[in-house]
Amino acid sequence: MSNSTVAKRYAQALFELAQQKNILTEVGADLSELAKVVKESPDFLTLLNAPKFSVERKKQMVADIFNGATPEVLHTVQLLVEKKRVNEMIQIAKAYAELAAQAQGTADATVFSTRALSAEESANISAAFAKLVGKQSLNITNEVDPSLLGGIRVQIGNHIYDSSVANKLERLKRELIG
């Protein structure tokens, strides 16, 4: 079974539990924080994988570190420690975020522009492109890319909508050269 499949199964179970208890946002925030800790402190995973400590000691360390987390997330992490699958934490957080966004009718989008977008511009882009992809709204992340010359490029999942000046010039160049 691939790591991705395992992560999706854990995420699906956690998602269903959070949905039953109506705590999707809280669990999502806790998982996001957990993924951040794992990314910024690789020693944390090393510690949880170390054979020097017993499983019970590792579970107690997790409980101490994440004492403010929802019980569902805490128990999931402890289960991952018990099953020796702590390396799946980041993938579980990603899979959960996708499931939650899908259930809430949202999607993540990256907007590349030549300057930082205002809140109003982000809201307008979110409204316009959400309809294109069949979502209620988009969570916009703005990245400044001066090489676009003007216009924007929007990436939603695997789809890219490019209305930048650089892209239009490239198309014109291909047409003229043939």
Side-chain angles (χ1 to χ4, degrees), residues 9 38 73 81 113 123 139 150:
R9 287 186 181 173
V38 170
V73 171
V81 167
S113 59
N139 301 323

Side-chain angles (χ1 to χ4, degrees), residues 65-114:
I65 293 170
F66 297 106
N67 63 354
T70 59
E72 294 76 15
V73 171
L74 181 60
H75 293 307
T76 301
V77 175
Q78 289 177 330
L79 181 63
L80 292 171
V81 167
E82 191 176 309
K83 300 291 183 184
K84 296 181 178 19
R85 295 197 184 272
V86 291
N87 294 332
E88 299 291 326
M89 284 192 232
I90 293 175
Q91 287 78 17
I92 291 170
K94 285 180 186 177
Y96 179 90
E98 289 172 8
L99 289 169
Q102 191 174 30
Q104 295 167 341
T106 63
D108 291 330
T110 305
V111 178
F112 300 90
S113 59
T114 56

Side-chain angles (χ1 to χ4, degrees), residues 132-149:
L132 281 175
V133 294
K135 299 290 180 184
Q136 293 174 355
S137 66
L138 297 176
N139 301 323
I140 302 284
T141 302
N142 183 216
E143 291 191 20
V144 177
D145 183 1
S147 70
L148 295 177
L149 302 177

Side-chain angles (χ1 to χ4, degrees), residues 28-40 44 62 66 73 77 80 89-90 92-93:
D30 287 349
L31 282 175
S32 176
E33 192 63 32
L34 175 67
K36 187 174 154 187
V37 167
V38 170
K39 284 179 187 173
E40 292 176 0
F44 177 65
V62 167
F66 297 106
V73 171
V77 175
L80 292 171
M89 284 192 232
I90 293 175
I92 291 170

Side-chain angles (χ1 to χ4, degrees), residues 41-61:
S41 305
D43 293 340
F44 177 65
L45 281 182
T46 305
L47 178 71
L48 293 180
N49 283 319
K52 184 176 183 178
F53 300 106
S54 70
V55 170
E56 290 307 314
R57 177 69 181 121
K58 291 175 189 177
K59 288 166 77 171
Q60 184 58 46
M61 286 189 284

